[in-house]
Amino acid sequence: MIQAALKTVLEPIFEADFKPCSYGFRPGRRAHDAIAEIHMLATNSYEWVLEADIKACFDEISHVAVQDRLRARVADKRVMALIKAFLKAGILTELGGQEETLSGTPQGGILSPLIANVALSALDEHFAHAWQTTMATRPEREKIRRRGGATYRLIRYADDFVICVAGGKEHAEALKADVEQVIAPLGLELSPEKTRVVSIDEGFDFLGFAIKRVRGRHGRMVIHTYPSKRSLQTVKAKVRQITKHTGPDQAPDQLLHRVNRVLRGWCNYFRHGVSSATFGYLRHYAYWRVVGWLRRKHRKRNWGWPRRTYLKERWPADDGVELFNPVALGTSRYRYRGAQIPLPWTAGYVALRDHATAMDYLEGLIAR
């Protein structure tokens, strides 16, 4: 409860300073906004991508660096003492002992994503400053490119980020050192194995989506965002596990409920992309996994009986529950919103009294 109260108090303070390029664990923002920005940039000649990975980000963030950035906006020493206590809380071992935490944020803590965003906002500020001072207008960007330079933008979702570059591969490679210089004071470093420079024609995976430039139906080169192979394998494994480990004594409608939860959540996430072919494949896969389970449930009956009982409309259903059809969901384009994403405090979603109530509650806890 204390962490939740702290988050309610601190979030509006730091949201006022966070840059638009950050999308992870922020109110009103989602992964699709990050994908939409990459799509917009790649469509506008940002053809090289630095796909970066921070090694053990949440485990290695420097406590000193985090507290320094927090103190810049939080003057109350009692609040800072609470945050320090969370950072230094330690970890319980399997033997019941306690290990001291010298770095990193508490695993699974409500406050951890906000603390990580505060720390990594140093990266946002560095690239936002470079953009605003030298690349803010189209004439400035064109001038840089005519002189053989490059323009670039950072897109970050928590500790996952990419830098889209309008220039050459060498410009994207040079940005690695720039990133390492910014995150080093935070106690962080890039993973050499997972950090690479790729062309948009080669494609890359980000937040579950595969992003690649391909030739479209009309012969033009277009940017496609669609479920990555890894994401598809993950949802297939979940469906396979449900249909494999659900015993034949279970009712078919219970199985359908469990499979539907997995399919509906996955498809709703990936519906904003070129996902029709993947949805068709997943539809076929889920159908035959469920049909196979029905046949195992009724081993002593011929195929005609389960077909007449559960596939009256040629689609699995039982007791009013029908297998979710990914193709019927359809797909749609998610539009890039940029810096126009409103904060909940300015858009009226969160009343000011909520902040005041949390502050009163926190004051009471500190007073104890």
Side-chain angles (χ1 to χ4, degrees):
M1 289 191 297
I2 299 176
Q3 286 196 51
L6 271 173
K7 181 176 182 291
T8 305
V9 171
L10 295 176
E11 193 171 54
I13 297 172
F14 288 98
E15 276 293 332
D17 296 333
F18 286 162
K19 302 300 180 183
C21 62
S22 169
Y23 295 100
F25 302 106
R26 294 184 58 190
R29 291 168 173 260
R30 53 196 301 202
H32 298 91
D33 291 308
I35 299 298
E37 181 167 1
I38 295 173
H39 185 282
M40 182 274 295
L41 292 171
T43 304
N44 289 278
S45 302
Y46 285 73
E47 300 177 348
W48 289 97
V49 178
L50 172 60
E51 186 184 2
D53 181 83
I54 299 177
K55 185 187 298 183
C57 177
F58 285 88
D59 296 329
E60 300 295 335
I61 290 179
S62 167
H63 288 173
V64 175
V66 168
Q67 291 177 87
D68 286 344
R69 293 190 65 81
L70 287 167
R71 286 193 195 97
R73 293 287 278 144
V74 180
D76 195 319
K77 293 183 179 180
R78 298 170 301 171
V79 173
M80 290 303 305
L82 279 175
I83 296 173
K84 184 177 180 180
F86 286 125
L87 292 174
K88 301 292 185 181
I91 302 172
L92 288 175
T93 65
E94 294 180 355
L95 300 177
Q98 187 172 6
E99 290 184 0
E100 187 179 1
T101 50
L102 302 177
S103 62
T105 58
Q107 293 293 325
I110 298 173
L111 202 58
S112 295
L114 178 59
I115 292 175
N117 268 337
V118 170
L120 292 173
S121 62
L123 192 65
D124 306 338
E125 292 165 3
H126 174 79
F127 283 95
H129 180 264
W131 178 270
Q132 292 165 2
T133 54
T134 61
M135 299 174 274
T137 65
R138 184 184 294 271
E140 288 176 334
R141 294 193 292 272
E142 291 176 348
K143 184 178 180 181
I144 291 172
R145 293 170 194 164
R146 283 198 303 269
R147 293 181 176 181
T151 58
Y152 45 87
R153 287 277 292 270
L154 169 76
I155 300 95
R156 183 175 68 83
Y157 190 95
D159 59 329
D160 294 328
F161 67 92
V162 297
I163 302 175
C164 296
V165 181
K169 184 178 182 179
E170 66 278 7
H171 297 119
E173 293 281 0
L175 288 172
K176 285 184 185 178
D178 206 11
V179 171
E180 289 174 339
Q181 186 177 359
V182 174
I183 65 175
L186 303 174
L188 303 173
E189 60 179 347
L190 294 178
S191 170
E193 299 81 13
K194 298 181 180 180
T195 300
R196 61 181 188 137
V197 172
V198 296
S199 166
I200 195 64
D201 295 321
E202 179 184 349
F204 63 99
D205 294 348
F206 188 61
L207 302 179
F209 281 89
I211 305 171
K212 187 177 183 180
R213 183 165 61 183
V214 299
R215 191 169 298 280
R217 289 180 296 178
H218 303 291
R220 295 179 300 177
M221 300 302 290
V222 294
I223 306 299
H224 277 187
T225 58
Y226 53 93
S228 67
K229 291 183 179 179
R230 184 176 179 180
S231 299
L232 180 59
Q233 292 301 322
T234 299
V235 71
K236 284 175 60 181
K238 290 181 179 179
V239 173
R240 182 168 59 250
Q241 183 179 22
I242 292 171
T243 55
K244 183 178 180 180
H245 295 289
T246 300
D249 57 320
Q250 297 291 316
D253 64 311
Q254 295 178 354
L255 174 83
L256 292 174
H257 274 303
R258 295 178 63 192
V259 173
N260 285 353
R261 279 196 295 269
V262 172
L263 294 179
R264 187 176 289 110
W266 192 87
C267 292
N268 274 310
Y269 179 79
F270 287 106
R271 68 179 303 185
H272 299 295
V274 187
S275 307
S276 296
T278 306
F279 284 2
Y281 173 81
L282 186 59
R283 177 186 187 274
H284 179 269
Y285 180 83
Y287 173 89
W288 285 110
R289 290 300 306 185
V290 170
V291 167
W293 182 86
L294 290 172
R295 298 192 72 169
R296 290 196 303 274
K297 180 178 175 63
H298 301 285
R299 292 180 184 274
K300 296 181 180 181
R301 294 181 179 269
N302 59 34
W303 169 233
W305 189 88
R307 186 173 58 186
R308 291 190 302 270
T309 305
Y310 302 114
L311 282 80
K312 295 177 181 179
E313 303 295 331
R314 298 188 178 181
W315 190 248
D318 179 60
D319 197 20
V321 182
E322 187 176 282
L323 177 65
F324 179 78
N325 183 359
V327 175
L329 180 65
T331 60
S332 63
R333 173 80 176 275
Y334 189 89
R335 298 294 176 180
Y336 171 57
R337 297 189 291 168
Q340 305 302 317
I341 303 174
L343 291 173
W345 301 277
T346 58
Y349 302 134
V350 179
L352 292 177
R353 63 174 176 81
D354 294 337
H355 179 274
T357 302
M359 193 62 197
D360 292 341
Y361 176 69
L362 189 59
E363 287 280 358
L365 291 173
I366 293 173
R368 294 176 191 174

